[in-house]
């Protein structure tokens, strides 16, 4: 649809004022642009991720006050279903859209027609002018990104008519609350109420508003266009930076292999701050599908929130508000080495994982090869190390351009020595996170000494008198294991069932069983290997007590053999620390001093000479464990032994209902004030319990402390738990 073209200005005439004498020269040609999608309209335009179906535009020459031809083009939508709101407002049908041109063809026509109109009106570079930010930022740029279309440079700057109007009339309502109709009403303009062609009325009214604003003092009118960034810029972030919480969002559900450029592409059209994409890592140092994104202003953040549940490939992405503190915690760093590494701008960062511990810069550069040189050679490599200087097998590399990074990524899972190396795209925020994780604290929290000692020995030895159960359901209990073993359960040693927990204190799917002899362990493995427990097959393999002890102490035991627990490394292990020893010990001397001799078990069960056995290292020992290290769990078995009894002072204050039950009381000291019932019971979670009986609270001897736990009966041993802070 076109209107009669205007007459060109007479030859030699120049109605434009002298820009050299005018401190605020009038702007060049403006292209007033209106668009609509097949879904929501108005302030929600683009929030439903629907395709563009209509463009209407007209050229305005501010200096001569002339206007060009009005054009209207329909666009073929891939999903031709129109929303009821769009169908009612536009009067369009799916058939008319099916006959329209695709978006790339319409954009070519747009450029040609605008260039022709500009030539008739005197020439010069033009700038788009829209009603609000949504058309370009939320509709055109995201759709062009999804369809892999390259937009002309003219679509990366525009004037927002609402903001320009608010500059001239600041006393009116906020810019985001203005509409074309309200702006015309504020100016007292008469509009053509008979115009029912969808989009045409809006463009004509916008042109009238622009011409009216130009009649008054121009000042800063149409002098500072809005800019849409064409490329995301990487950069470092410091822990000292102050980030406005009104500019940060959290994106959840990202594909694990997505990079910062993929996140920036998802938010195409919105201006992300330099270094404003921080991919989050989980406890194992791998991406967890979340990212924190920092935008340049709060208006960009509000538009980003409208992309909630938009799609990245086949996955929908959830977008929520976040805080500046969260962003700095993830992306900020304090290391000068990292700051120097990230100081080079416009570099592509790759992460290398699985490097041999002996690998140096020369080895990595030779692995990558001359076809993908690292920026700065060895200076473009950053090796990640533990606080004591030991290598972690991770490194980061800088590349000058995307082509070199793509060439390096083709070396993914290539061999360096006897190890294959993984390569991934990375970000400045990921570099900070990984370095912070290794530099500031151990990978696992420091383990503390047990509240009470384990009252039985674990004899060391290399005889394969144990079996390892691998692949247990996480919901498996001791009864499930005994039922799984069947007749072999009768050959389990007292306290011979060890459930291995992960670093969160949850079942890891592994367990160790101490059998009465190596022959019984081998027979059990042959009989039960790959039997099914709760729809999962369980591997049962023989192992030695030494191997079991190493795993319970934090080492690993894989198909390729044993690795020692990190606390056994010479550089980390205190001289006095000993692992499970042949000489059994029930009670450390410092713990025995807390109890009178009458409160201990009969002497027949306690060795006369004892060296403390520790399931855990001492409280002052820092353990820098690997990510796969296990926590030990209390060993249990169907045939239980005795436990420490409670001091008589504590027995005097215990209720009669509890003392009448068989067994003994155990006092737990040093319990956190915030600990609850589940926290205390989790300490003994591997023991088998009879049904709950929470009938009363049990005060202990200290009247100034608060009781945190109700009684719990323990099967066989009938152990009742009493806790005080």
């Amino acid at each position: 649809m076109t209107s009669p073209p205007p007459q060109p200005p007479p030859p030699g005439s120049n109605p434009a004022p002298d820009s050299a004498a005018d401190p605020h020269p009038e702007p060049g040609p403006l292209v007033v642009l209106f668009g609509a999608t097949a879904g929501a309209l108005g302030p929600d335009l683009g929030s439903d991720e629907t395709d563009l179906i209509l463009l209407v535009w007209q050229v305005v020459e501010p200096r001569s006050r002339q206007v060009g031809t009005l054009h209207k083009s329909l666009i073929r939508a891939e999903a031709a279903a129109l929303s009821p709101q769009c169908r009612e407002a536009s009067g369009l049908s799916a058939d008319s859209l099916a006959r329209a041109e695709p978006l790339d063809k319409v954009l070519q026509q747009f450029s040609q027609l605008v260039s022709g109109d500009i030539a008739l009106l005197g020439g010069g570079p033009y700038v788009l002018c829209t009603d609000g930010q949504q058309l370009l930022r939320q509709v055109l740029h995201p759709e062009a990104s999804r369809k892999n279309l390259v937009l002309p440079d003219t679509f990366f700057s525009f004037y927002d008519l609402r903001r320009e109007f608010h500059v001239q009339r600041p006393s009116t309502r906020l810019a985001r609350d203005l509409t074309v109709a309200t702006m015309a009403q504020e100016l007292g303009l008469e509009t053509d109420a008979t115009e029912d062609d969808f989009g045409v009325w809006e463009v004509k009214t916008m042109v009238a508003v622009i011409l009216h604003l130009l009649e008054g003092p121009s000042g800063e009118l149409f002098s500072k266009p809005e800019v849409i960034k064409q490329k995301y810029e990487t950069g470092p972030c410091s822990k000292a930076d102050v980030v406005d919480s009104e500019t940060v969002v959290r994106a959840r559900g990202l594909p694990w292999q997505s990079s910062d450029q993929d996140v920036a592409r998802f938010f195409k059209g919105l201006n992300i701050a330099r270094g404003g994409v921080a991919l989050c890592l989980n406890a194992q140092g791998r991406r967890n599908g979340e990212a924190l994104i920092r935008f340049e202003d709060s208006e960009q953040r509000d538009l980003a929130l409208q992309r909630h549940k938009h799609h990245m490939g086949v996955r929908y992405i959830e977008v929520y508000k976040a805080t500046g503190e969260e962003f700095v915690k993830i992306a900020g760093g304090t290391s000068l080495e990292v700051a120097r590494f990230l100081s080079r701008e416009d570099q592509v960062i790759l992460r290398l994982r699985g490097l041999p511990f002996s690998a140096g810069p020369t080895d990595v550069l030779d692995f990558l090869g001359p076809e993908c040189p690292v920026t700065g050679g060895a200076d473009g490599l950053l090796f990640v190390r533990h606080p004591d200087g030991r290598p972690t097998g991770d490194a980061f590399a800088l590349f000058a351009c995307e082509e070199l990074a793509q060439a390096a990524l083709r070396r993914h899972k290539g061999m360096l020595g006897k190890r294959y190396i993984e390569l991934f795209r990375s970000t400045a925020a990921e570099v900070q996170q990984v370095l912070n994780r290794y530099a500031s604290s151990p990978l696992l929290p420091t383990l503390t000494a047990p509240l009470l000692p384990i009252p039985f020995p674990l004899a060391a030895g290399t005889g394969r008198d144990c079996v390892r159960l691998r692949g247990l359901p996480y919901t498996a209990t001791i009864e499930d294991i005994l039922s799984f073993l069947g007749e072999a359960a009768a050959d389990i040693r007292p306290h011979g069932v060890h459930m291995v927990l992960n670093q969160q204190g949850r079942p890891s799917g592994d367990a160790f069983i101490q059998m009465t002899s190596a022959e019984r362990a081998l027979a059990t493995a042959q009989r039960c290997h790959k039997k099914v427990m709760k729809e999962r097959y369980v591997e049962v393999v023989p192992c030695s007590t030494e191997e079991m002890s190493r795993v319970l102490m934090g080492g690993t035991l894989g198909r390729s053999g044993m690795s020692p627990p990190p606390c056994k490394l010479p550089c980390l292990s205190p001289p006095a620390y000993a692992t499970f020893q042949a000489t059994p010990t029930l009670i450390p001397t410092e713990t025995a001093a807390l109890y009178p001799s009458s409160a201990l078990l009969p002497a027949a069960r306690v060795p006369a000479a004892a060296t403390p056995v520790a399931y855990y290292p001492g409280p002052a020992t820092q353990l820098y464990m690997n990510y796969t290290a296990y926590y030990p769990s209390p060993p249990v078995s169907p045939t239980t032994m005795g436990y420490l009894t409670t001091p008589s002072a504590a027995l005097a204050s215990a209720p009669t209902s509890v003392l009448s039950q068989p067994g003994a009381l155990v006092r737990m000291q040093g319990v956190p004030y915030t600990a609850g019932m589940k926290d205390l019971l989790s300490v003994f979670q591997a023991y088998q319990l009879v049904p709950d009986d929470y009938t009363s609270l049990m005060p202990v001897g200290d009247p100034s402390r608060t009781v945190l736990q109700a009684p719990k009966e323990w099967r066989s041993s009938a152990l009742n738990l009493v806790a005080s802070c």
Side-chain angles (χ1 to χ4, degrees), residues 656-673:
T656 305
S657 59
V658 174
L659 296 178
S660 62
Q661 301 172 3
L665 301 176
V666 175
R667 177 178 178 133
M668 298 173 63
Q669 292 182 317
V671 177
Y673 295 111

Side-chain angles (χ1 to χ4, degrees), residues 288-360:
N288 62 3
E290 294 189 5
L292 293 171
I293 300 94
R294 175 188 179 189
F295 294 93
E296 290 188 343
D297 53 55
S298 59
E299 185 174 8
Q300 309 281 323
R301 193 280 304 267
D302 293 340
L303 293 175
L305 291 173
Q306 293 184 358
R307 300 196 186 183
H308 179 61
K309 292 195 174 181
H310 283 204
H311 288 76
M312 180 184 291
V314 296
R315 298 175 64 93
Y316 72 84
I317 308 301
E318 300 174 340
V319 183
Y320 303 99
K321 291 182 179 180
T323 65
E325 290 78 8
E326 291 176 313
F327 182 85
V328 172
K329 182 179 179 181
I330 295 296
T334 57
S335 171
L336 295 178
E337 181 184 14
V338 177
R340 286 193 297 268
F341 178 76
L342 298 175
S343 61
R344 298 179 177 90
E345 297 184 359
D346 299 327
Q347 298 291 314
V348 182
I349 306 174
L350 295 187
R351 180 179 180 181
L352 292 82
R353 190 166 61 199
L355 294 171
F357 293 153
S358 59

Side-chain angles (χ1 to χ4, degrees), residues 162-209:
R162 299 183 185 185
R163 288 191 174 181
E164 302 299 329
F165 185 89
H166 191 265
V167 168
Q168 290 293 91
R169 294 175 174 267
S171 60
T172 58
R173 65 190 75 186
L174 296 176
R176 63 172 178 267
D177 297 330
L178 293 170
T179 64
V180 175
T182 56
M183 287 187 287
Q185 184 179 359
E186 290 281 346
L187 297 176
L189 299 177
E190 295 184 1
T191 59
D192 186 3
T194 62
E195 181 62 68
D196 58 355
D197 195 354
F198 182 61
V200 173
W201 181 88
E202 286 79 359
V203 171
K204 288 183 176 180
T205 306
M206 290 170 65
V207 170
V209 170

Side-chain angles (χ1 to χ4, degrees), residues 352 355 359-374 377-378 381 383 411 414-417 421:
L352 292 82
L355 294 171
T362 303
D363 301 314
V364 175
L365 294 176
D366 292 343
F367 167 77
L368 294 173
E371 63 275 8
C372 44
V374 176
L381 296 174
F383 288 87
R411 297 285 294 152
M415 300 300 294
L416 176 57
I421 310 303

Side-chain angles (χ1 to χ4, degrees), residues 52-385:
L52 191 67
I53 62 170
L54 175 68
L55 280 180
V56 184
W57 68 91
Q58 189 172 23
V59 177
V60 177
E61 172 51 66
R63 290 167 292 189
S64 63
R65 308 296 192 268
Q66 289 184 301
V67 297
T69 305
L70 190 147
H71 302 274
K72 178 178 180 180
S73 291
L74 296 181
I75 304 171
R76 184 192 308 165
E78 294 181 358
L82 298 175
S83 68
Q85 180 186 10
C86 178
R87 187 181 296 108
E88 180 181 357
S90 65
L92 298 174
S93 64
D95 293 338
S96 60
L97 294 179
R99 296 189 297 269
E101 296 288 345
L103 179 60
D104 56 340
K105 298 293 185 182
V106 172
L107 292 179
Q108 292 178 7
Q109 296 174 5
F110 172 85
S111 299
Q112 295 172 359
L113 294 173
V114 168
S115 298
D117 290 346
I118 295 293
L120 290 175
L121 295 177
Y126 65 89
V127 181
L128 302 178
C129 181
T130 62
D131 174 30
Q133 309 261 328
Q134 283 84 354
L135 176 59
L136 292 179
R137 294 192 184 272
Q138 295 287 77
V139 178
L140 189 57
H141 279 274
E143 184 174 346
S145 178
R146 292 195 302 268
K147 297 180 178 179
N148 295 318
L149 302 179
V150 179
L151 293 175
D153 292 342
T154 53
F155 287 95
F156 288 88
S157 63
F158 68 99
Y159 291 113
D160 183 354
L161 183 57
R162 299 183 185 185
R163 288 191 174 181
E164 302 299 329
F165 185 89
H166 191 265
V167 168
Q168 290 293 91
R169 294 175 174 267
S171 60
T172 58
R173 65 190 75 186
L174 296 176
R176 63 172 178 267
D177 297 330
L178 293 170
T179 64
V180 175
T182 56
M183 287 187 287
Q185 184 179 359
E186 290 281 346
L187 297 176
L189 299 177
E190 295 184 1
T191 59
D192 186 3
T194 62
E195 181 62 68
D196 58 355
D197 195 354
F198 182 61
V200 173
W201 181 88
E202 286 79 359
V203 171
K204 288 183 176 180
T205 306
M206 290 170 65
V207 170
V209 170
I210 292 172
L211 294 176
H212 190 279
L213 293 177
L214 291 173
E215 295 295 334
S218 58
E220 298 295 326
L221 189 65
F222 297 114
S223 60
K224 296 179 180 179
E226 305 283 334
V227 177
I228 300 176
K229 287 187 175 181
Q230 299 192 33
K231 182 181 178 182
Y232 167 68
E233 300 175 352
T234 61
C237 176
S238 171
K239 288 286 188 184
D241 291 348
V242 178
V243 177
D244 185 5
S245 295
E246 295 299 317
T247 63
V248 183
V249 300
R250 179 184 295 272
R252 181 180 300 164
L254 300 169
W256 67 269
Q257 72 274 22
S258 59
S259 65
D260 55 347
Q261 297 295 337
D262 297 321
V263 176
R265 183 174 182 177
F266 175 79
F267 290 104
K268 190 70 173 179
L270 304 180
N271 292 344
I272 299 176
R274 183 172 180 267
V277 177
L279 299 172
C280 302
L281 306 181
N282 60 16
Q284 287 72 40
R286 301 176 185 270
R287 296 171 186 171
N288 62 3
E290 294 189 5
L292 293 171
I293 300 94
R294 175 188 179 189
F295 294 93
E296 290 188 343
D297 53 55
S298 59
E299 185 174 8
Q300 309 281 323
R301 193 280 304 267
D302 293 340
L303 293 175
L305 291 173
Q306 293 184 358
R307 300 196 186 183
H308 179 61
K309 292 195 174 181
H310 283 204
H311 288 76
M312 180 184 291
V314 296
R315 298 175 64 93
Y316 72 84
I317 308 301
E318 300 174 340
V319 183
Y320 303 99
K321 291 182 179 180
T323 65
E325 290 78 8
E326 291 176 313
F327 182 85
V328 172
K329 182 179 179 181
I330 295 296
T334 57
S335 171
L336 295 178
E337 181 184 14
V338 177
R340 286 193 297 268
F341 178 76
L342 298 175
S343 61
R344 298 179 177 90
E345 297 184 359
D346 299 327
Q347 298 291 314
V348 182
I349 306 174
L350 295 187
R351 180 179 180 181
L352 292 82
R353 190 166 61 199
L355 294 171
F357 293 153
S358 59
T362 303
D363 301 314
V364 175
L365 294 176
D366 292 343
F367 167 77
L368 294 173
E371 63 275 8
C372 44
V374 176
T375 302
D379 293 336
L381 296 174
L382 178 65
F383 288 87
V384 184
R385 301 183 183 276

Side-chain angles (χ1 to χ4, degrees), residues 595-648:
Y595 297 89
S597 58
S598 60
L600 302 177
L601 294 175
R605 296 189 180 184
V606 183
T611 302
V613 173
Y615 260 118
Y616 306 80
T621 305
Q622 280 291 58
L623 295 183
Y624 298 98
M625 293 187 175
N626 53 55
Y627 284 120
T628 58
Y630 292 116
Y631 279 16
S633 64
V636 295
S637 78
T639 55
T640 57
M641 299 173 63
Y643 293 86
L644 296 177
T645 56
T646 306
S648 56

